[in-house]
Amino acid sequence: MPPAKYQIVTAIVVTIIVLLLAGFFILILVAYINQRKKKHLEEKSVMESLFNQTLLQTQLEIQEQTLKTISQEIHDNIGQVLSLAKLNLNTIDMTNPGKLLEKINDSKQLVSKAIQDLRDLSKSLNTDNIVSIGLQRAIEYELDMINKAGGHETKLEINGDIVRVDSQKELIIFRIMQELLNNIIKHAGARLIKVQAIYLSNELELIVTDDGQGFDLELLNRNDKNENGSGLGIRNMHNRAKLIGADLNFNSITGQGTTVKLKLPLNS
Amino acid sequence: MLKSLFNTTVIAEYCTFIASIFLLRRKATIWRLFIPLLFITISTETIGWSVAYFLKKNNQWIFNVNLLINVCFSIWLFSKAEPLKNVKKVLNTAMALFMGFGLCNLIFIQGFWKYNTITDVLSSIILAIISCYFFITVLKEEAFRNLFTYEYFWFANGILFYSLGSVVLYIFLDYLGDFYKETKINVYGYINYGLNVLFYGSLVIAFVCRQRNTK
C-alpha cells in the first residue's frame, strides 16, 4: 500500500485529535470563565452587603446627630428662653401697671421666640427629610443652623446646574459633610466656613474651606477617632467616599486653615 | 455472531438506554423522551445488523432515517434549554430546514442505499455551532449557574465532542472504508467508538444531573 495513503490517514487522525483537543480547550475555558464569574458575583454580593451596612450606619448616625442637636437646642436655647419668660412672670408687680404691661410684653416675646425655635427644630434634619429636600438644601440648612448658633460665618456657593444624585449617595455625602462641619466647629477655631458645590457635566465637587488653625494630617491619621471616641475618623470618611465611588482629599497647613475636596463622578 | 452486533458503540447505547430508564423519572419531563429515542437507536442498530447479517441486504437506509431523527431531536432539545429561549424560533427553523435538506438528500441526492454523509457532516457543523453558542450564552448570563451540575451543559459537551470528531470522519468516510478494505485497519471504527463513548458518557452524566435537578 502506497505510503501516501498512510500519510493521508494519519493526517485525518491527527486532524480529528486536534479538533477534539480544541473542543476540550473550549470546555476548560468555559468552566474557568464560569468560575471567575462566580467569584465576581460573590465579591459583588459582599460589596453590596458592606454598602447596605454603611448606609444603615450612616442613617443611624444622622439620627443620632439630629437628636443631639435637638437636645442641645432645647437645653441651651429654648429652655433658657422659657426660664426667662417664667422669671418675668414670677416678678410681675401687680401694683405697677406700667411695669406689668412691659413684663407681659417681654414674656410674650420670649414665648414667641421659643415657639419659633421649636418650629425650626421640628424641621430638623432626619434621613427622610434629606432624601426629600436633596443634598444641596440639606447642606444649606446645616450651614444655617451653624450661623444661627453664632460664632461662625458660613457661606454656600453653588456653580452649575444642580443635579440630584442617587438618594443613598446623597445620605453618605451629607454625613461626611456634617462630620466635616462638626470637626471645624469643635477643633478648627475658625471664623469663616465656606462650602462650594460645583456641578460639572460629569462630576460633582464639594469643597469645604475654613480659616482655622489647620492640623497635621499625618498625626491625625494615626489617631483617627476624635477625643470623645465617636464620630467619623478621616480614614472612615475616606472609606465611605470610596464606597460611593467618590474621592476625598484633605489639604491642611498648621495655622493656615483646611480645605477638603470631595469629587463624585456623576455617571457612575 | 453477536460479537459483530455488540461493538463498543452499541454497548454504549444499551448502557445509556438502561441509565435513562432508571434516572429519568416523571419529573424529568421532556428529557424522558430520551427513553424512546434511545430505544429507536438501539432498535436501528439491531434491525440494521439483522438486515446486513441475515438478509445480506443494504442497511444504510435505516441509519439514514435514524440520523435525521436524532439530529432533529438534539436541535429541539437545545431549543428547550433556558439560556437559549431567546433563539427558540431560530433553532426550530433550523431544525425544519435541516429536516427538509435531509429528506432531499435521502430521496434525491445520496439516496437511501448510501450513508448520507453530507447530512451527517452538515448536522455536525450545525450542532457544533449550537453547542458553542449555548456555552457563550451561559457565560453571558447575569446569574451564576453551576455548569457541572447542569444537564444541558453535559448534553452540549457530548454533542460538541462528537460533532467536532465526526465532521472529518464522515468527510473521508469512503476513503477510510477503502483503507480498511486494503489494510484491515478499522480507523473509522476506532475513532467512531471513541467519539460515541464520549458522547454517551456525557449523556449519562446529563441524565444524572437532570435527575438531581428535578428531585
Side-chain angles (χ1 to χ4, degrees):
Chain A
M1 176 165 219
K5 271 209 170 178
Y6 278 98
Q7 282 179 348
I8 292 166
V9 169
T10 309
I12 292 167
V13 171
V14 166
T15 307
I16 291 169
I17 291 169
V18 165
L19 284 170
L20 287 175
L21 284 171
F24 187 65
F25 173 74
I26 289 169
L27 286 164
I28 299 286
L29 191 67
V30 165
Y32 172 71
I33 292 171
N34 200 47
Q35 281 306 112
R36 278 192 65 176
K37 183 172 144 189
K38 180 185 175 187
K39 198 177 165 188
H40 168 74
L41 286 170
E42 278 169 2
E43 281 172 9
K44 192 176 163 192
S45 172
V46 165
M47 281 187 68
E48 269 174 10
S49 171
L50 180 66
F51 181 80
N52 288 336
Q53 222 176 334
T54 305
L55 191 67
L56 187 65
Q57 203 175 338
T58 303
Q59 287 168 334
L60 289 170
E61 282 167 2
I62 291 172
Q63 299 281 30
E64 200 185 302
Q65 184 69 31
T66 304
L67 287 169
K68 248 168 105 171
T69 306
I70 290 169
S71 136
Q72 216 164 339
E73 265 296 293
I74 290 172
H75 180 268
D76 294 347
N77 203 1
I78 298 167
Q80 302 281 26
V81 166
L82 289 173
S83 294
L84 207 55
K86 184 186 167 187
L87 192 67
N88 261 349
L89 292 170
N90 276 344
T91 56
I92 279 174
D93 185 0
M94 300 293 279
T95 60
N96 190 343
K99 283 272 182 190
L100 170 69
L101 204 60
E102 196 186 312
K103 288 236 175 193
I104 290 174
N105 282 333
D106 284 344
S107 300
K108 266 168 74 174
Q109 274 179 12
L110 287 167
V111 170
S112 296
K113 186 177 184 307
I115 292 170
Q116 186 54 47
D117 287 342
L118 275 168
R119 280 203 183 117
D120 288 344
L121 208 58
S122 73
K123 291 179 207 163
S124 279
L125 294 167
N126 60 28
T127 47
D128 293 334
N129 267 347
I130 295 164
V131 166
S132 63
I133 67 174
L135 177 67
Q136 243 17 82
R137 293 271 310 276
I139 295 174
E140 232 178 275
Y141 184 86
E142 199 73 9
L143 291 173
D144 223 15
M145 295 280 281
I146 295 170
N147 251 335
K148 275 189 188 164
H152 300 92
E153 187 190 333
T154 62
K155 266 188 189 165
L156 174 64
E157 248 179 55
I158 301 173
N159 296 315
D161 298 324
I162 295 174
V163 169
R164 290 290 305 263
V165 294
D166 180 64
S167 59
Q168 291 173 343
K169 287 185 181 177
E170 285 196 336
L171 271 176
I172 290 177
I173 293 171
F174 175 75
R175 183 72 193 109
I176 294 172
M177 295 297 292
Q178 200 176 46
E179 196 59 24
L180 286 171
L181 294 169
N182 279 346
N183 286 341
I184 292 170
I185 292 164
K186 280 186 203 161
H187 306 294
R191 194 189 58 80
L192 174 67
I193 305 170
K194 188 175 165 192
V195 175
Q196 283 174 278
I198 304 167
Y199 287 89
L200 300 170
S201 58
N202 59 346
E203 193 180 73
L204 162 63
E205 201 174 330
L206 287 165
I207 306 171
V208 181
T209 319
D210 71 74
D211 60 355
Q213 61 194 7
F215 59 90
D216 185 343
L217 196 61
E218 272 181 37
L219 186 68
L220 207 70
N221 274 335
R222 275 183 245 137
N223 316 306
D224 69 351
K225 287 211 172 293
N226 68 20
E227 57 197 29
N228 293 328
S230 63
L232 298 180
I234 287 179
R235 196 178 301 162
N236 238 335
M237 283 195 251
H238 273 296
N239 289 342
R240 288 204 183 174
K242 211 170 150 187
L243 207 62
I244 57 169
D247 184 49
L248 188 66
N249 224 296
F250 284 79
N251 203 345
S252 186
I253 301 169
T254 314
Q256 292 183 35
T258 305
T259 303
V260 181
K261 282 187 190 171
L262 182 131
K263 283 185 190 173
L264 174 75
L266 285 179
N267 295 323
S268 58
Chain B
M1 176 183 88
L2 286 174
K3 217 176 160 182
S4 58
L5 169 62
F6 289 106
N7 55 45
T8 311
T9 299
V10 173
I11 293 169
E13 284 164 0
Y14 269 93
C15 291
T16 310
F17 174 64
I18 293 164
S20 68
I21 293 168
F22 285 107
L23 295 170
L24 299 176
R25 301 297 164 120
R26 192 166 289 173
K27 283 183 180 176
T29 55
I30 57 168
W31 278 69
R32 295 199 82 204
L33 289 172
F34 266 108
I35 299 172
L37 182 80
L38 287 162
F39 180 76
I40 290 168
T41 303
I42 59 178
S43 302
T44 302
E45 295 283 354
T46 312
I47 295 168
W49 172 82
S50 305
V51 165
Y53 196 85
F54 294 113
L55 302 176
K56 307 280 186 229
K57 283 192 173 173
N58 188 309
N59 64 357
Q60 295 302 317
W61 62 274
I62 301 169
F63 296 100
N64 288 332
V65 170
N66 186 53
L67 171 68
L68 288 177
I69 295 168
N70 272 295
V71 172
C72 287
F73 178 81
S74 298
I75 298 173
W76 175 79
L77 189 64
F78 268 121
S79 74
K80 297 295 179 190
E82 206 197 311
L84 297 181
K85 64 181 177 208
N86 290 337
V87 294
K88 193 176 172 176
K89 279 187 182 167
V90 173
L91 290 172
N92 288 335
T93 308
M95 182 179 72
L97 288 172
F98 172 80
M99 182 62 118
F101 173 81
L103 288 169
C104 282
N105 192 25
L106 188 66
I107 298 165
F108 301 114
I109 309 172
Q110 289 186 293
F112 278 89
W113 314 113
K114 189 179 186 307
Y115 186 67
N116 290 181
T117 53
I118 301 173
T119 306
D120 201 305
V121 168
L122 182 66
S123 71
S124 294
I125 294 169
I126 292 170
L127 289 171
I129 291 169
I130 295 172
S131 300
C132 289
Y133 183 74
F134 170 80
F135 292 137
I136 290 167
T137 313
V138 161
L139 289 175
K140 278 166 89 172
E141 276 183 327
E142 271 195 37
F144 170 75
R145 198 189 284 271
N146 189 352
L147 292 180
F148 294 116
T149 59
Y150 187 39
E151 60 273 17
Y152 283 99
F153 170 77
W154 288 104
F155 177 64
N157 183 26
I159 292 277
L160 182 69
F161 273 122
Y162 187 83
S163 303
L164 287 174
S166 64
V167 157
V168 177
L169 202 65
Y170 285 102
I171 290 172
F172 294 99
L173 182 67
D174 291 339
Y175 192 89
L176 291 170
D178 294 339
F179 183 80
Y180 172 64
K181 282 177 192 163
E182 287 176 28
T183 63
K184 298 296 173 204
I185 300 172
N186 193 4
V187 173
Y188 164 82
Y190 297 137
I191 293 173
N192 196 39
Y193 296 156
L195 293 176
N196 276 300
V197 165
L198 276 172
F199 173 66
Y200 287 111
S202 295
L203 206 54
V204 170
I205 298 173
F207 292 164
V208 172
C209 294
R210 183 69 181 180
Q211 190 219 25
R212 284 184 180 186
N213 291 338
T214 52
K215 258 188 183 166

